Amino acid sequence: MVLGEAVLELLRTLSAGHRAVLLLDDLHWADRDTLGLLEYLVDGLRELPVRVVGSARDDEAAPDGLVALGRHPRVQSLPLLVEELLAGLVESGSVRRVDGRVEPVGALQARVPRAFAGIVDRRVAALAPAEREVLRTAAVLGQDVDWRLVAAATGADVGSALRAAVDMGLMLAGPDGSPRWRHALTCDAVLAALTAPERAALAARAARRLDTGSPVARPGLVADLHARGGRPDRAAEVMLEQARESTAAGALADASSVLERAVVLAVGRPGLLAAIAVERVRVLALGARTDDAVDVADAVLPALRGPQRTALTVAAARACVAADRFAEARRFLDAADPGDPGVLALAAHVALGAGNVDRALEIAGAAVGAAENAGLPEVECEALEVVGRGLRRRDPPASRGAFRRAEEVAALHALVPWRIRALAELGANAMLDSGATNLLAQAAALAVDAGMLGTATMLDLQITIGTVAVDGYVATMPMAERCAERAGRLRLAGTRAVALIFAARGRVFAGRMSEAEALLDDATRVAPDELHVRVARFDLRGRDVWLAGDDERAVRELGDGVAVLRRGAGTNAAPMWGEWALLRTVLDPADDGPRTELRHSDVLVTGINRAALRYADAVAAAVAGRDEAAAELLVAGDDLLAGQPYFRYLLRTMLLPLAGTPGLGDPAAFLREVLAWLAGRGEVQMVRLCQAHLRRLGLPVPRPDRDVEAVPPRLRGLGVTGRELAVLRLVAAGLGNPEIAARLHLSRRTVETHVGNLLAKTGATGRDALADALAP
């Protein structure tokens, strides 16, 4: 699925404005992960003008995944018969020629053409008995000839035997001397000449020799040989081992396919079937295929007892927790041993998801101790994650400590998924505190490498949220939309709902409120918990009316949203808290209630809320005549948001109804600076609001068409226009007014005016000193 998402992005780019065809040849040699990728593309390409055309042999050599792909309702299968196979059909009487055309006679049964088979039989018969044994074993092992594998499977010196096969025209020597079949049909012809018992005996002997830890033997081949050799139970055991290795390597599609085959081979072995079921649920959960994981668990659970039952319920509950499906998770946990450490850890997750933070912390603490005593590092990591999340707002240092401990335990025991999750949670803490997303990006990269696409998608959403603080809601809107689309395909309902909320916020700031409401309707339909969507409606309406200049109504809407957050235990420490408290203070500086509540609230874990409190305190100090204290508080707020410019500008814009109040800065300089920063970011409503404040203050509104270059925010804050910047750069280059006038096609008088304005705005003492204004 990770590769599938990458290919979809590539095809979306390549097919933009066009129609495209992707050609794939020799799909009968594709590995299972490639076929899994194609199956993923079948649905993902539904909205793209792209056709995928592939060729493959449709015989017993085709992998199971290719056959399943051909049965997909959106796949058209068109048989392509090569000349040799057509000749074989004619020879067998399966088809006949009528008036220059070929038509079937009964059922088609493709086989090696008789003439070709006869040639191969004669050449094989000419080999010595030991050489024939080696050649037939090579055919049983498959189309790809690895001489080391053939040697291990036969226990013989294969050099002379393979040389004889080359000399007889059955094989070819590659550029590096490695043997290969002369033609794919040659291998088929060798196998076709063997009876079923002969094939089974060869497969059984090869399986016994290779199932001894041979460094060249692939688990999948060993399992296949055991199955063909009459030991399906051992084949299933090897497949289970193979699936675990594939999961560890991030090849989830391969692991899932192998386990589906193992189920068939393990019939009659209840213990083995249970172990396979647990691994299937685990793989499906890691691949964010929650519905499939639940179906597998429900089908097997009634027949299980004891530890196996608990192991399966834990795996199924974990899949449900990852998708925010807490009621289903609780259903599975109710069927498990309540004292099992794994059950305790997941019960803590369920309690946290339901908003019962105290209960979650209590259960998680017990789970940590039980996991330590039982030597279960994976369960310890899972329980520590709940501790860290539960303490995120109450005790940030303790929260970070829990996540760091989980990361250390995971690293010590090579638990890659749990290390990724711990890093992700540490990244979430850092983003809340300062807006930093570097840890989140590190965790996301590791999640992609491990094939944990569900986790990677949730991390991408968190990175998107962190990026808002730097680039704004409109600029990050496409990122949120991509997260929502991917979360929908992966059935991550909670992640999709949050992504839709952030996409809706982008619509509000872009001046498209009706579209924002429609996105919230979509979020309501998919959200596991409707509370966050209800809060988002108040949030979006409040922002919309604030951007329109109605501060009083904005306070009411945001206040209603904060009231919902107060009633919901464990809700997010959203910036809405700080924005509401700041706007309330601007409208009524004498009312210190909102500031007092914010000052004693755990929502101050978010740096944006801490900055909003500083700005609100600055307002109160300025109105009370404490100008110096107000200025200091204003700087303190700016410092908190040094790495989050968008929210610095947004919150400072909320102070503009009090523009001109001593201690709250120069409104004209600020407005010019924020407009320069907003230029080209699509923040339609913010730009309109700032322009309205300029008009209210009787200040000129910059005309975008006058600015031929982007002005750095510092100079824009001084009132320097784009045309003046062009003059400034030429002055700094040593040109005189006549040369500047000629270069810019201006009159000398106009250049003199621009130079005079630059001297006044920058405070430069003379023409030579103007160059210093260009220093960063």
Side-chain angles (χ1 to χ4, degrees):
M1 288 187 291
V2 174
L3 292 176
E5 286 297 323
V7 172
L8 283 175
E9 289 293 335
L10 175 62
L11 293 176
R12 183 176 289 109
T13 300
L14 294 177
S15 64
H18 307 281
R19 288 179 293 177
V21 177
L22 173 62
L23 299 177
L24 302 171
D25 201 7
D26 291 331
L27 286 177
H28 50 276
W29 288 330
D31 59 26
R32 294 186 185 90
D33 256 23
T34 299
L35 295 172
L37 183 152
L38 289 176
E39 185 177 358
Y40 189 77
L41 291 182
V42 169
D43 292 319
L45 287 171
R46 193 184 299 267
E47 305 299 328
L48 295 181
V50 176
R51 177 65 59 91
V52 178
V53 179
S55 71
R57 291 172 53 192
D58 187 18
D59 59 17
E60 64 181 7
D64 295 340
L66 183 59
V67 176
L69 184 66
R71 289 197 296 263
H72 194 286
R74 297 195 70 242
V75 174
Q76 285 183 297
S77 295
L78 304 174
L80 180 65
L81 305 181
V82 297
E83 191 171 343
E84 292 94 337
L85 294 178
L86 180 57
L89 290 170
V90 173
E91 291 175 1
S92 68
S94 296
V95 300
R96 65 184 177 187
R97 298 185 184 277
V98 179
D99 297 330
R101 301 182 58 180
V102 176
E103 62 181 30
V105 179
L108 290 178
Q109 294 182 342
R111 68 179 189 181
V112 178
R114 187 187 309 163
F116 182 79
I119 294 172
V120 172
D121 287 346
R122 287 192 294 273
R123 293 179 180 177
V124 172
L127 297 173
E131 294 168 346
R132 285 198 296 271
E133 178 81 4
V134 169
L135 186 73
R136 288 167 175 166
T137 301
V140 168
L141 293 176
Q143 294 280 355
D144 295 327
V145 181
D146 183 337
W147 66 267
R148 294 166 301 179
L149 188 64
V150 177
T154 59
D157 180 3
V158 301
S160 60
L162 294 177
R163 165 46 63 187
V166 171
D167 293 341
M168 292 299 298
L170 297 167
M171 287 186 172
L172 296 173
D176 62 349
S178 298
R180 60 182 176 86
W181 293 104
R182 187 176 189 87
H183 192 285
L185 289 176
T186 306
C187 177
D188 293 346
V190 173
L191 289 174
L194 297 173
T195 65
E198 287 175 324
R199 291 189 196 184
L202 285 169
R205 284 196 294 272
R208 285 196 299 272
R209 291 191 174 106
L210 294 176
D211 197 6
T212 56
S214 171
V216 295
R218 300 185 304 277
L221 175 62
V222 174
D224 184 57
L225 290 170
H226 275 305
R228 287 188 281 158
R231 292 194 60 194
D233 53 344
R234 178 55 189 159
E237 292 172 351
V238 174
M239 285 179 176
L240 178 57
E241 296 168 9
Q242 178 189 3
R244 287 169 176 160
E245 292 177 5
S246 296
T247 302
L252 300 183
D254 185 54
S256 182
S257 175
V258 169
L259 289 168
E260 288 173 4
R261 295 173 59 209
V263 168
V264 177
L265 295 170
V267 172
R269 293 280 304 277
L272 183 55
L273 281 171
I276 293 171
V278 172
E279 189 63 20
R280 285 185 72 193
V281 171
R282 191 168 80 92
V283 169
L284 292 168
L286 285 172
R289 295 171 58 184
T290 309
D291 289 340
D292 294 336
V294 169
D295 289 344
V296 170
D298 283 336
V300 178
L301 191 60
L304 299 184
R305 297 291 182 271
Q308 289 181 332
R309 182 179 180 86
T310 297
L312 184 65
T313 55
V314 166
R318 185 172 292 135
C320 295
V321 166
D324 297 329
R325 291 158 61 165
F326 298 111
E328 283 184 283
R330 191 178 296 109
R331 172 172 69 85
F332 282 112
L333 293 177
D334 288 344
D337 176 6
D340 183 272
V343 174
L344 286 174
L346 283 162
H349 270 287
V350 171
L352 190 65
N356 193 341
V357 181
D358 291 333
R359 179 61 177 159
L361 289 172
E362 178 186 350
I363 300 173
V368 170
E372 283 183 310
N373 293 334
L376 299 172
E378 184 174 0
V379 175
E380 184 180 356
C381 291
E382 192 162 24
L384 285 169
E385 181 179 295
V386 178
V387 174
R389 291 173 58 194
L391 294 176
R392 178 170 280 145
R393 284 170 56 173
R394 298 182 179 185
D395 190 345
S399 172
R400 290 192 294 272
F403 292 138
R404 286 197 190 98
R405 182 177 167 192
E407 196 272 335
E408 291 168 359
V409 171
L412 179 64
H413 295 278
L415 301 174
V416 175
W418 289 106
R419 181 166 180 260
I420 291 170
R421 290 177 64 152
L423 284 173
E425 296 293 351
L426 284 169
N429 280 8
M431 184 191 69
L432 287 173
D433 182 54
S434 64
T437 59
N438 56 311
L439 278 177
L440 292 173
Q442 179 185 350
L446 291 172
V448 170
D449 288 343
M452 298 168 59
L453 191 57
T455 300
T457 301
M458 289 184 277
L459 286 165
D460 282 344
L461 177 57
Q462 288 185 306
I463 291 170
T464 298
I465 295 170
T467 306
V468 168
V470 178
D471 294 331
Y473 285 113
V474 178
T476 54
M477 185 165 53
M479 298 170 62
E481 290 167 351
R482 285 196 294 272
C483 287
E485 179 188 0
R486 187 173 300 167
R489 284 201 296 273
L490 298 177
R491 297 186 179 92
L492 299 174
T495 302
R496 175 169 169 78
V498 175
L500 288 171
I501 289 171
F502 273 85
R505 284 186 181 138
R507 298 294 200 286
V508 171
F509 280 82
R512 295 146 60 185
M513 183 63 185
S514 60
E515 295 179 24
E517 292 281 7
L519 286 174
L520 287 187
D521 291 341
D522 288 344
T524 301
R525 284 189 284 271
V526 302
D529 184 351
E530 188 246 346
L531 181 143
H532 293 297
V533 185
R534 281 198 293 129
V535 171
R537 288 195 186 275
F538 290 120
D539 178 47
L540 265 60
R541 291 169 186 167
R543 293 172 187 270
D544 185 53
V545 296
W546 172 72
L547 289 166
D550 191 344
D551 289 0
E552 291 187 0
R553 186 178 168 193
V555 166
R556 290 197 300 273
E557 294 284 357
L558 294 176
D560 288 343
V562 170
V564 175
L565 288 174
R566 287 194 195 100
R567 295 193 296 270
T571 53
N572 294 330
M576 175 193 286
W577 292 83
E579 293 168 16
W580 167 75
L582 177 56
L583 275 178
R584 272 283 305 269
T585 304
V586 168
L587 290 178
D588 186 3
D591 182 4
D592 65 353
R595 289 184 294 124
T596 299
E597 179 189 25
L598 188 58
R599 201 181 318 279
H600 295 94
S601 171
D602 58 10
V603 300
L604 290 184
V605 67
T606 303
I608 298 168
N609 285 331
R610 295 200 300 274
L613 179 59
R614 300 293 190 280
Y615 292 143
D617 286 341
V619 167
V623 172
R626 295 184 288 114
D627 304 354
E628 290 185 7
E632 290 175 359
L633 287 164
L634 209 63
V635 171
D638 289 348
D639 289 343
L640 282 170
L641 297 178
Q644 304 178 73
Y646 181 75
F647 277 104
R648 181 170 76 85
Y649 289 127
L650 189 148
L651 295 178
R652 287 285 300 272
T653 302
M654 292 181 175
L655 307 182
L656 289 174
L658 299 176
T661 304
L664 294 184
D666 179 356
F670 170 75
L671 282 166
R672 287 192 293 265
E673 179 185 343
V674 70
L675 282 170
W677 189 87
L678 291 170
R681 296 178 183 269
E683 293 280 342
V684 176
Q685 296 296 77
M686 278 282 283
V687 169
R688 289 174 180 168
L689 179 62
C690 291
Q691 290 172 338
H693 280 299
L694 281 172
R695 294 188 188 97
R696 183 177 60 81
L697 294 170
L699 298 170
V701 177
R703 295 198 334 230
D705 59 333
R706 292 286 301 277
D707 287 347
V708 294
E709 329 187 22
V711 181
R714 183 182 60 81
L715 291 177
R716 177 74 76 171
L718 298 175
V720 176
T721 66
R723 178 61 73 185
E724 289 169 348
L725 176 62
V727 172
L728 175 59
R729 286 178 171 154
L730 293 177
V731 169
L735 276 66
N737 287 358
E739 291 86 357
I740 295 174
R743 183 77 63 88
L744 299 179
H745 304 288
L746 300 173
S747 69
R748 293 186 185 184
R749 184 62 180 269
T750 299
V751 174
E752 290 172 2
T753 300
H754 285 321
V755 172
N757 289 339
L758 286 168
L759 291 170
K761 292 176 179 179
T762 62
T765 57
R767 191 182 183 96
D768 293 339
L770 275 177
D772 296 337
L774 288 174

